[in-house]
């Protein structure tokens, strides 16, 4: 009897230990389960915050808006606002990125500006967005004999052609496909040389005549040539400055609505020098007068 009672007591103790062990295991599982749930919630929270940051690429830590770098894109089809598609930067197949159709939608073949995602990592000229790098009259900021202002003052069309090439603009100062902008520098130089030959030819033709006896045809040709070349020079410079402002999200500060025109007409050389400094990273790459971009060969473009 004593042995039987002892056995029953031992069995009771073992059962109690098993129950205690089971309770501890269940409690441990419950605790770890809570940790797992909390970890899942934490991961979800982190993913949500990461997604939020990804959608706010242009907001800095001080909650101040950082102006985006804008690029020109050609719509592949008629698309509604908010539609996202893969575009090619300057129509280069090796440089794809995702862009979103702006408000109002776009028509097939229409060119529009869209922010370049900040996760697009590639070599390009670094320049501030939302403001000019320096003032309009800071021409001597890089140096008193710097190529940027020398070209702007002594050969303004060459300076404009270099800026157009950096920005991948056409000879009219407008964004275009890379195929059309590769030869912008050559086109501008050809226009300049053609106008010089045209003007010199008319001057030579009028040498045998006196000021009062110059044929009306020669006078008319001089006026027409000067007018057309002047209109192109003013328009292309105005559009180039507008394209620079749009790409770098720089707002107008004075003469709202006609600031680009006023700067191009009244301050041609200073305007060219300012754009050359903004689109040229002279702190890293040296300035060169005789080149298509104003930088040595191999220097990256602005986009």
């Amino acid at each position: 009897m004593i042995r039987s009672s002892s056995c029953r007591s031992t069995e009771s103790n073992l059962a109690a230990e098993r129950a205690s062990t089971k309770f501890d295991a269940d409690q441990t599982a419950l605790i770890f389960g809570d940790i797992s749930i909390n970890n899942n919630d934490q991961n979800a929270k982190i993913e949500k915050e990461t997604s939020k940051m990804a959608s706010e690429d242009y907001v800095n830590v001080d909650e101040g808006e950082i102006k985006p770098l804008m690029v020109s894109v050609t719509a592949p089809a008629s698309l509604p606002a908010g539609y996202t598609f893969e575009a090619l930067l300057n129509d280069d197949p090796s440089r794809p990125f995702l862009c979103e159709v702006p408000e109002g939608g776009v028509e097939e073949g229409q060119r529009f500006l869209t922010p370049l995602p900040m996760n697009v990592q590639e070599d390009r000229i670094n320049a501030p967005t939302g403001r000019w790098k320096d003032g309009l009259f800071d021409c001597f900021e890089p140096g008193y004999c710097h190529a940027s202002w020398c070209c702007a003052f002594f050969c303004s069309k060459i300076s404009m052609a270099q800026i157009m090439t950096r920005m991948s603009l056409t000879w009219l100062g407008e964004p275009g496909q890379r195929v059309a902008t590769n030869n912008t520098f050559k086109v501008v130089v050809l226009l300049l040389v053609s106008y010089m030959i045209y003007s010199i030819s008319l001057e030579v033709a009028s040498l045998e005549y006196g000021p009062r006896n110059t044929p009306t045809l020669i006078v008319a040709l001089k006026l027409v040539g000067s007018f057309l070349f002047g209109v192109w020079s003013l328009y292309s410079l105005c559009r180039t400055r507008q394209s620079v402002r749009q790409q770098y999200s720089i707002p107008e500060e004075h003469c709202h609505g006609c600031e680009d025109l006023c700067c191009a007409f009244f301050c041609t050389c200073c305007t060219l020098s300012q754009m050359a400094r903004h689109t040229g990273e002279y702190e890293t790459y040296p300035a060169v007068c005789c080149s298509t971009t104003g930088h040595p060969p191999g220097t990256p473009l602005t986009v």
Side-chain angles (χ1 to χ4, degrees):
M1 294 294 294
I2 296 174
R3 183 179 298 176
S4 176
S5 176
S6 176
C7 289
R8 283 196 296 269
S9 176
T10 302
E11 291 175 356
S12 298
N13 292 336
L14 291 174
E17 289 178 0
R18 292 193 189 98
S20 177
T21 303
K22 182 178 180 181
F23 174 78
D24 292 340
D26 292 342
Q27 188 177 23
T28 302
L30 180 61
I31 292 173
F32 280 107
D34 289 340
I35 293 175
S36 177
I37 292 173
N38 290 336
N39 285 338
N40 290 336
D41 292 342
Q42 186 70 17
N43 291 337
K45 183 178 180 181
I46 292 173
E47 290 177 0
K48 183 177 180 181
E49 290 179 353
T50 304
S51 175
K52 182 179 179 182
M53 288 299 294
S55 65
E56 297 175 356
D57 287 337
Y58 301 111
V59 177
N60 59 19
V61 293
D62 297 327
E63 297 184 355
E65 184 179 0
I66 300 176
K67 299 295 184 179
L69 180 67
M70 307 296 289
V71 293
S72 178
V73 174
T74 302
S78 298
L79 302 172
Y83 186 88
T84 302
F85 67 96
E86 186 178 79
L88 301 178
L89 189 58
N90 287 327
D91 302 302
D92 188 347
S94 63
R95 306 166 76 190
F97 71 99
L98 290 178
C99 73
E100 183 177 338
V101 177
E103 294 183 5
V106 293
E107 299 294 332
E108 182 177 359
Q110 177 182 345
R111 298 194 70 86
F112 63 95
L113 292 173
T114 184
L116 181 67
M118 297 186 71
N119 58 2
V120 177
Q121 301 293 333
E122 60 177 18
D123 292 334
R124 61 173 175 267
I125 293 294
N126 292 318
T129 57
R131 61 178 179 83
W132 291 101
K133 182 182 292 185
D134 48 29
L136 180 63
F137 302 109
D138 293 333
C139 302
F140 301 109
E141 187 69 23
Y144 290 105
C145 296
H146 200 264
S148 62
W149 75 262
C150 287
C151 280
F153 278 80
F154 299 112
C155 199
S156 59
K157 299 301 177 289
I158 297 298
S159 177
M160 184 174 67
Q162 291 174 342
I163 296 168
M164 289 175 170
T165 304
R166 293 176 189 172
M167 297 284 297
S168 297
L169 303 177
T170 66
W171 60 280
L172 291 174
E174 301 171 348
Q177 297 181 355
R178 180 56 64 88
V179 176
T181 61
N182 277 337
N183 297 319
T184 295
F185 185 85
K186 296 179 181 178
V187 172
V188 173
V189 171
L190 180 62
L191 286 173
L192 176 62
V193 173
S194 299
Y195 175 70
M196 292 175 63
I197 294 175
Y198 177 84
S199 300
I200 293 173
S201 299
L202 291 177
E203 289 295 335
V204 172
S206 62
L207 287 178
E208 57 182 281
Y209 303 99
R212 298 181 180 179
N213 299 327
T214 304
T216 306
L217 178 60
I218 295 179
V219 175
L221 289 175
K222 286 183 179 180
L223 292 175
V224 171
S226 299
F227 176 77
L228 293 178
F229 188 77
V231 169
W232 167 76
S233 300
L234 181 62
Y235 176 81
S236 58
L237 179 55
C238 180
R239 288 291 287 121
T240 298
R241 189 178 191 274
Q242 185 182 50
S243 296
V244 172
R245 286 197 309 100
Q246 289 176 343
Q247 178 168 316
Y248 291 100
S249 303
I250 302 174
E252 291 181 310
E253 298 177 356
H254 309 285
C255 304
H256 295 281
C258 60
E259 181 182 279
D260 300 318
L261 178 61
C262 291
C263 288
F265 186 80
F266 295 106
C267 303
T268 301
C269 297
C270 292
T271 298
L272 285 168
S273 181
Q274 184 186 39
M275 290 192 295
R277 295 191 305 274
H278 192 90
T279 60
E281 194 175 345
Y282 296 123
E283 300 83 2
T284 306
Y285 307 101
V288 179
C289 290
C290 301
S291 73
T292 58
T293 63
H295 280 308
T299 303
L301 302 179
T302 58
V303 290

